[in-house]
Amino acid sequence: MNRAYGPPTKFDGAFPYLYHNDGGGKFSEVSRQAGLHITNSAGLPLAKSLAIAPVDVDNDGWIDLVIANDTVQNFLLHKQAQWYF
């Protein structure tokens, strides 16, 4: 029996989204400022995100982000200081 779908390598990546809570029920999209616009060698979005895990990987008190991707490398976004948007 043949599969009705192809491997994820046939699909383009996309940039993940990150929203900052501005208060008062308003949010701002800040993915570029936070460094989430990661591109491949052709300048296209690399991420094929499956899941995200907020963890403090180095126990420095700042929450880092681990993003699991499909068919491309996973991302570890290491937060080194407070983000101000």
Side-chain angles (χ1 to χ4, degrees), residues 54-64 78:
V55 295
D56 185 359
V57 296
D58 57 358
N59 202 28
D60 65 356
W62 297 105
I63 296 296
D64 308 302
H78 181 238

Side-chain angles (χ1 to χ4, degrees), residues 31-75:
S31 60
R32 181 180 297 277
Q33 299 95 308
L36 295 176
H37 282 204
I38 300 168
T39 59
N40 62 18
S41 60
L44 300 172
L46 180 63
K48 294 183 180 184
S49 303
L50 297 170
I52 186 167
V55 295
D56 185 359
V57 296
D58 57 358
N59 202 28
D60 65 356
W62 297 105
I63 296 296
D64 308 302
L65 299 176
V66 177
I67 300 176
N69 288 307
D70 198 359
T71 70
V72 298
Q73 71 262 20
N74 298 320
F75 301 156

Side-chain angles (χ1 to χ4, degrees), residues 10-44:
K10 303 281 185 206
F11 301 100
D12 294 334
F15 293 127
Y17 291 95
L18 178 66
Y19 291 91
H20 177 260
N21 185 346
D22 299 325
K26 298 190 187 300
F27 293 83
S28 299
E29 202 281 317
V30 295
S31 60
R32 181 180 297 277
Q33 299 95 308
L36 295 176
H37 282 204
I38 300 168
T39 59
N40 62 18
S41 60
L44 300 172

